[in-house]
């Protein structure tokens, strides 16, 4: 990172054009000792006072303070702004025909975001320099629709420059669409509305070299406990794109409802959906997958099995303990249900589901669930007991794990049947099956990634890592965003209460969790299990906490959340401008009075 | 309450007209042993299966299950529905000319709510009986704009009847607009869309006698820590009207920002607002007050003093410890600020503020705040110390309480100057000033109500009650709805964590809190202090928990939350239909499968 020249003087000079005040604006900002200080505008300071966003961009610790997540590579910029004419922004984009629709959509989105920060377009001043945005893809690429995989290089560079009175130029270089898209996102975060001068401003010169620390940067949404409209899912993808999260893990079905259209097995969603209006059609899903691709996001489906099934399957006679009561004897929450792995007719139906999922999602990694299997549920079925005894097995836990292993083997065969091109990478949740010794018996480490949902300090994580598995981290003590509400099967608070603050998310250091096995960590996901969440609270549950995760995964910061707090408050304001209903973290006073709110503000800053 | 006849048979007969199925509907409901059971629709059961709302209306414990809050008086109804023609609803309303605008607005609102439950108007069947809604006010009233006060009788009766093939009639009687309005609200909750028959249905006969247990049923919103748009405040009033809450306690200003237009002291809001767009103009306030009146809600302003002031006052030289650091030495959260009661020029400014507030709000009760005064703040001012010493006082805590008493006396005089008609009732928060012995010295029990914000079990409550004060209960351990988020001045969780579930709100029994002094309890308020809440999370923080409070205050139920749980899930769904972003409490599965989710469901029900 470069050391900044003393800011205040340079900024004073940087306001080049004549100013006419917002006639009702009262406050501006000055950069003092790396902090933006609110000042009353008057005749004296009017020329040098700047808006909050412009001040935050410059005034900090060597990286533009408006960029979230913080770039991980070299950043070098001049603290000098140019006015840009928003009517005169030209894009020079790659011309591969199979990507044309992606670039068109990205450009449209860029322009929408540009105006989102302008409260009133009518008072925007005319004029300013043209801006030419050039995207260059370095490697020779086949002309195909790009697909994000674990091998995708998401790095990019962004250079902004200008010579006297000519157009400003922003040049993004990357290997592929996904990296370049990230560059465009960063660019949009240094192109800022100044409410004092009523104009759009851009850094006059910047060099940014940026790449993610982790490959897998995800959010999980459960659309079975409660339904979420396509619109609300797209809003989530919009916000993910802003912070460069790249994986939408879609836990579509569960025992509560089956909102997925499966054309070859229509009974599943007809009986299984909460209502005929609460079904994701093939058209909806194709729309969401494509919406994600434009935003650099893989939409990865999960079909959770053999537990977490129920509604939709009721007439098929292949579910054990279906809606059994008292539920607490057979599952962790109502309604209960587990596949009966002994029913041969089950597997062709699974194949139908997998086939349609692979056609729709074309996933590079497929999630097969595998959590919270209840031995008591299976053991309540005479048919299952008979089948096991007939094979000469016992009815001990290890025998039921063997039954589970049987199911997993059969199910995986069906996945491989439909995933024509190659054997896809499979993810499973931590469970009894991933405990020692079962994990060695049933799960091939070349095939399976393990998604951790125990606490970050659980010794089981090391057991899994030392065997060579790659992992995705969703430790519930930091990344389950549904924690902290009221109880719902009883009073009090829900099981993983209290609420997890963004600070804890930010400080959830994957390197600490993995110890000597860092290289096996693909990344992490924050999860919304939706028992007590629907689209009214979707945004505020994810945001801004998912942004804290995004910076952890992109930048892997050494410092703790306190160093990021002021930037985070600014970023959350930006999400709000973009119509993301992010939760407020602090009084607006704390945004306007940088670093005055912390309990140790005085000790640190005065 | 009347004992219901066996429901199933009667319901079967009650479907009088020919049915054409929703071609994609899969499920209907049957009432079995006072529980609505989901059934697959088929040729056999199609004639008798009913929709979830119709089932919930009938099938329960003797009160229509769709009404929230539960009526407190006698309820008697036939489990028989009639189809209503929504194009043929006639209103016969009181003709007092000063009320005409209120009735017009109420009627419009009634019709909007009627259609809110209909997902698709185009498939609504034509026909049905006319409905005649008659409102009769019993007492002879002057033709004045009605005003809600502590003496207002909010009771009403609602009678629904019909003779063969004639119009259905709904007759509401009440003493005044406010009672009658409640009746209309109840009526709208028994006029229901049936998605199987695609028609609106009403109870064929009902007699409901209803009145609130408590006079003061409120929500508090703090618009200073974060700003809330007029639109979002109106949405809160909309939802309050649904559940018959009657007081919107508006904590407008605080040390963080001053978003209130005061025409005679414009510097206050010009300097004090977060931005020129974040000010409530006189026009906005008049609009909100009238919007509340239509909905039976008093909009009561609070001007919190002598602490909780700051931004806006910075040039007036009458604030002690303004934005002082380290803030923890001078106040409970940043930014600090307290009036300097020794400055004579302060009081005329207070009079200006009070005058405009009384003109705008015309409050029957005025809230003067009075919480969290810091002795250390005042004691940090040489000017204050000198003034006190000059009077021969010391600088002990009791001397500063005397200073506070001086402020309160002076401020009250200014209130009485502007409240022309009479000396209004004043509310103050519990504080050191309301502790023994100071309360006896400084606060006249004929003038002051005390708003409790300590825990419900705090012995101070009894100290206050036994002296004869009337109280409003906002015990933070049940009624502070901002509890449970992350910390904001430091990590971890906020001070009153964990999150308070609706169950705790429902079971917060005011009679238990008041013991022998029940008659002195005016009611209660739930509070949103907005440090970490803005309009994105306003709805989900208030709702449905404010509904739990509403039933506590209206019906004062003997049973605990479990008895209300199924009705609550239905009610929350209704709020959602009315565009209130109420938080989800449980998977939709639990709404559709009544009483199957509780952990003791089996023990209780099977």
């Amino acid at each position: 990172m470069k050391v900044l020249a003393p800011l205040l003087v340079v900024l004073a000079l940087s306001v080049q054009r004549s100013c006419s005040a917002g006639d009702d604006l009262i406050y501006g900002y000055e950069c003092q000792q790396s902090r933006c200080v609110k000042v009353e505008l008057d005749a004296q300071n009017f020329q040098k006072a700047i808006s909050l966003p412009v001040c935050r961009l410059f005034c900090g610790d060597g990286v533009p303070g408006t960029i979230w997540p913080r770039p991980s590579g070299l950043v070098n910029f001049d603290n000098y702004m140019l006015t840009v004419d928003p009517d005169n922004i030209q894009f020079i984009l790659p011309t591969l025909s199979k990507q044309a629709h992606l670039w068109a959509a990205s450009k449209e989105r860029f322009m929408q975001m540009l105006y989102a920060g302008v409260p009133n377009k009518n008072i925007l001043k005319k004029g300013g320099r043209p801006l030419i945005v050039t995207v260059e893809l370095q490697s020779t690429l086949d002309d195909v629709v790009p697909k994000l995989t674990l091998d995708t290089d998401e790095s990019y560079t962004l250079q902004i420059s200008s010579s006297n009175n000519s157009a400003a130029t922003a040049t993004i270089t990357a290997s592929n669409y996904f990296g370049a898209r990230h560059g465009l996102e960063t660019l949009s975060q240094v192109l800022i509305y100044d409410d004092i001068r009523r104009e759009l401003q851009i850094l006059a010169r910047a060099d940014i070299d940026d790449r993610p620390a982790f490959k897998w940067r995800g959010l999980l949404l459960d659309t079975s406990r409660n339904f979420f409209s396509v619109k609300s899912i797209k809003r989530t993808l919009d916000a993910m794109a802003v912070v460069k999260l790249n994986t939408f893990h879609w836990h579509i079905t569960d025992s509560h409802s089956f909102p997925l259209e499966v054309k070859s097995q229509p009974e599943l969603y007809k009986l299984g959906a909460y209502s005929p209006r609460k079904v994701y059609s093939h058209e909806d899903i194709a729309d969401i997958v494509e919406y994600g691709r434009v935003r650099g996001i893989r939409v990865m489906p999960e079909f959770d099995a053999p537990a977490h099934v129920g509604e939709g399957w009721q007439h098929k006679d292949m579910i054990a303990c279906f809606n059994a009561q008292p539920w607490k004897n057979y599952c962790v929450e109502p309604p209960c249900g587990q596949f009966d792995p002994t029913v041969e007719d089950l597997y062709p139906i699974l194949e139908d589901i997998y086939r349609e999922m692979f056609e729709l999602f074309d996933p590079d990694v497929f999630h097969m669930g595998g959590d919270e299997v209840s031995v008591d549920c299976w053991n309540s079925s005479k048919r299952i007991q008979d089948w096991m005894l007939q094979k000469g097995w016992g009815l001990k836990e290890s025998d039921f794990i063997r039954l589970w292993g049987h199911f997993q083997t059969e199910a995986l065969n069906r996945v491989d049947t439909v995933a024509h091109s190659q054997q896809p990478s499979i993810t499973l949740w931590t469970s009894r099956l991933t405990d020692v010794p079962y994990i060695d018996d049933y799960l091939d480490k070349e095939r399976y990634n393990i998604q951790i949902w125990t606490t970050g300090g659980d010794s089981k994580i090391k057991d899994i890592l030392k065997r060579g598995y790659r992992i995705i981290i969703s430790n519930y003590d930091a990344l389950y965003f549904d924690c902290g509400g009221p109880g719902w099967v009883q009073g009090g608070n829900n099981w993983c209460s209290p609420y997890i603050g963004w600070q804890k998310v930010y400080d959830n250091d994957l390197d600490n969790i993995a110890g000597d096995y860092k290289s096996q960590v693909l990344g992490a996901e924050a999860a919304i299990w939706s028992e007590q969440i629907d689209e009214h609270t979707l945004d505020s549950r994810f945001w801004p906490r998912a942004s804290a995760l995004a910076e952890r995964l992109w930048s892997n910061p050494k410092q703790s959340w306190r160093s990021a707090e002021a930037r985070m408050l600014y970023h959350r304001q930006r999400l709000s401008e973009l119509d993301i209903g992010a939760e407020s973290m602090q009084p607006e006073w704390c945004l306007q009075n940088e670093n005055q709110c912390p309990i140790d503000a005085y000790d640190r800053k005065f």
Side-chain angles (χ1 to χ4, degrees), chain A:
Chain A
M1 319 273 163
K2 104 181 236 295
V3 177
L4 289 178
L7 273 166
L8 196 56
V9 179
V10 181
L11 282 170
L13 297 173
S14 78
V15 180
Q16 296 198 303
R17 48 214 75 248
S18 71
C19 302
S20 73
D23 36 27
D24 48 7
L25 270 190
I26 306 291
Y27 295 106
Y29 292 81
E30 287 175 5
C31 182
Q32 298 175 8
Q33 295 170 298
S34 298
R35 191 164 68 89
C36 291
V37 176
K38 191 172 172 181
V39 294
E40 277 178 55
L41 293 173
D42 58 30
Q44 277 69 52
N45 69 14
F46 190 80
Q47 292 298 316
K48 70 175 187 180
I50 49 182
S51 71
L52 175 65
V54 174
C55 185
R56 288 301 183 85
L57 203 160
F58 276 114
C59 179
D61 62 354
V63 167
T66 57
I67 304 178
W68 191 283
R70 193 184 161 103
S72 64
L74 287 175
V75 176
N76 189 301
F77 65 102
D78 288 348
N79 31 29
Y80 190 86
M81 304 295 287
L82 296 175
T83 304
V84 166
D85 179 0
D87 293 329
N88 203 346
I89 299 180
Q90 185 191 344
F91 291 83
I92 302 173
L93 300 169
T95 53
L96 298 166
S97 67
K98 292 275 174 58
Q99 297 192 355
H101 62 296
L102 300 177
W103 287 114
S106 269
K107 180 177 148 184
E108 188 187 338
R109 182 161 174 275
F110 185 91
M111 291 306 294
Q112 279 171 356
M113 289 170 66
L114 190 69
Y115 284 110
V118 182
N120 180 358
K121 268 194 200 179
N122 299 328
I123 64 169
L124 200 57
K125 235 184 297 172
K126 292 287 170 202
R129 299 194 192 203
L131 170 65
I132 301 167
V133 180
T134 306
V135 173
E136 293 169 2
L137 300 188
Q138 293 162 311
S139 48
T140 324
L141 287 167
D142 296 334
D143 188 8
V144 294
V145 176
K147 175 176 172 177
L148 185 71
T149 71
L150 291 173
D151 297 323
T152 301
D153 173 7
E154 295 179 85
S155 68
Y156 71 92
T157 66
L158 166 63
Q159 293 188 302
I160 304 172
S161 64
S162 58
S163 32
N164 281 348
N165 297 318
S166 67
T169 62
T171 306
I172 294 162
T173 60
S175 299
N176 54 60
Y177 175 79
F178 299 103
R181 196 215 68 81
H182 293 322
L184 218 44
E185 209 69 48
T186 302
L187 175 61
S188 88
Q189 294 176 4
V190 297
L191 183 51
I192 269 178
Y193 178 66
D194 175 276
D195 63 353
I196 297 178
R197 287 161 198 81
R198 296 177 172 175
E199 59 193 24
L200 286 158
Q201 298 187 351
I202 194 171
L203 282 174
R205 194 193 65 75
D207 287 298
I208 295 175
D209 185 0
D210 199 10
R211 68 193 59 236
F214 293 94
K215 285 176 178 305
W216 192 274
R217 304 182 306 280
L219 300 185
L220 176 151
L221 182 64
D222 157 17
T223 58
S224 172
R225 273 61 176 248
N226 279 304
F227 183 80
F228 295 81
S229 67
V230 171
K231 187 177 166 195
S232 70
I233 291 175
K234 285 183 169 179
R235 208 168 55 235
T236 301
L237 297 173
D238 280 333
M240 288 175 71
V242 171
V243 297
K244 306 185 176 83
L245 288 169
N246 72 356
T247 300
F248 181 71
H249 174 165
W250 193 352
H251 183 90
I252 308 184
T253 62
D254 210 293
S255 59
H256 304 66
S257 76
F258 195 106
L260 172 69
E261 184 186 30
V262 179
K263 290 189 175 179
S264 53
Q265 298 287 341
E267 194 184 78
L268 291 174
Y269 69 91
K270 288 193 170 171
L271 284 175
Y274 281 136
S275 88
R277 288 187 306 279
K278 295 187 171 174
V279 174
Y280 302 105
S281 69
H282 278 210
E283 201 178 3
D284 291 335
I285 291 170
D287 187 20
I288 287 169
V289 168
E290 199 54 28
Y291 200 86
R293 192 192 315 276
V294 167
R295 285 154 185 76
I297 298 163
R298 75 158 61 71
V299 177
M300 181 201 68
E302 173 182 353
F303 184 74
D304 198 355
H308 293 283
V309 293
E311 295 291 340
W313 295 83
Q314 50 261 55
H315 295 324
K316 295 200 187 299
D317 192 25
M318 45 187 70
I319 304 278
C321 72
F322 178 80
N323 290 1
Q325 290 281 8
W327 60 258
K328 63 187 166 194
N329 294 356
Y330 306 105
C331 60
V332 294
E333 72 180 49
C336 299
Q338 270 173 219
F339 283 136
D340 178 344
T342 72
V343 178
E344 290 298 328
D345 290 346
L346 166 62
Y347 299 99
I349 299 179
L350 287 183
E351 187 174 316
D352 283 339
I353 295 170
Y354 296 149
R355 181 182 302 106
E356 296 194 22
M357 279 187 157
F358 271 78
E359 282 167 8
L360 287 165
F361 292 94
D362 186 24
D364 66 317
V365 177
F366 185 60
H367 205 301
M368 295 181 73
D371 57 325
E372 298 182 320
V373 165
S374 158
V375 166
D376 289 335
C377 169
W378 274 340
N379 204 7
S380 71
S381 159
K382 177 95 173 31
R383 184 168 65 192
I384 293 174
Q385 287 182 341
D386 288 349
W387 187 90
M388 289 170 69
L389 295 171
Q390 205 159 7
K391 283 198 176 293
W393 303 1
L395 296 174
K396 295 195 306 295
E397 189 197 51
S398 58
D399 298 299
F400 285 100
I401 301 291
R402 189 172 175 185
L403 179 67
W404 188 353
H406 166 76
F407 169 82
Q408 189 56 39
T409 304
E410 290 295 316
L412 183 63
N413 284 341
R414 304 304 176 139
V415 167
D416 287 343
T417 304
V418 305
H420 17 269
S421 54
Q422 58 187 28
Q423 293 189 329
S425 182
I426 303 293
T427 304
L428 286 181
W429 292 104
T430 44
S431 69
R432 280 300 278 154
L433 194 66
T434 65
D435 284 350
V436 177
Y438 305 122
I439 188 168
D440 300 320
D441 298 338
Y442 300 110
L443 302 175
D444 174 3
K445 71 168 188 286
E446 303 303 326
R447 237 15 241 290
Y448 288 100
N449 318 305
I450 310 297
Q451 184 161 9
I452 307 293
W453 70 272
T454 63
T455 57
D458 191 337
S459 62
K460 289 179 181 178
I461 300 173
K462 295 277 164 62
D463 289 341
I464 290 167
L465 285 169
K466 78 170 70 137
R467 285 170 166 72
Y469 293 89
R470 295 192 297 182
I471 65 169
I472 293 162
I473 295 180
S474 298
N475 53 315
Y476 77 78
D477 53 341
L479 295 176
Y480 270 25
F481 285 1
D482 49 311
C483 299
W488 65 275
V489 296
Q490 52 192 328
N493 288 87
N494 63 20
W495 72 278
C496 56
S497 194
Y499 181 93
I500 297 163
W502 73 273
Q503 302 98 325
K504 199 164 181 180
V505 179
Y506 194 89
D507 284 356
N508 188 51
D509 190 330
L510 307 192
D511 291 343
N512 283 349
I513 292 173
D516 295 337
Y517 305 95
K518 293 177 195 178
S519 64
Q520 288 163 241
V521 179
L522 291 173
E525 286 180 10
I528 285 190
W529 301 105
S530 67
E531 284 87 349
Q532 302 177 276
I533 296 167
D534 69 6
E535 64 188 89
H536 296 310
T537 46
L538 176 62
D539 287 19
S540 60
R541 282 273 164 183
F542 265 142
W543 310 101
R545 292 185 294 171
S547 301
L549 174 66
E551 185 149 299
R552 168 56 51 199
L553 293 173
W554 185 276
S555 327
N556 205 16
K558 296 267 175 293
Q559 295 95 333
S560 92
W561 62 270
R562 262 297 189 219
S563 311
E565 187 174 19
R567 284 195 306 114
M568 176 54 118
L569 291 186
Y570 175 82
H571 165 68
R572 183 263 166 190
Q573 181 77 4
R574 177 66 180 150
L575 287 177
S576 192
E577 285 170 7
L578 294 169
D579 280 333
I580 307 301
E583 185 157 49
S584 170
M585 291 172 292
Q586 303 192 6
E588 189 168 345
W589 194 89
C590 305
L591 172 66
Q592 296 189 352
N593 295 272
E594 186 177 349
N595 272 328
Q596 296 287 292
C597 287
I599 197 160
D600 57 353
Y602 184 85
D603 307 330
R604 298 188 306 135
K605 287 278 178 187
F606 290 83

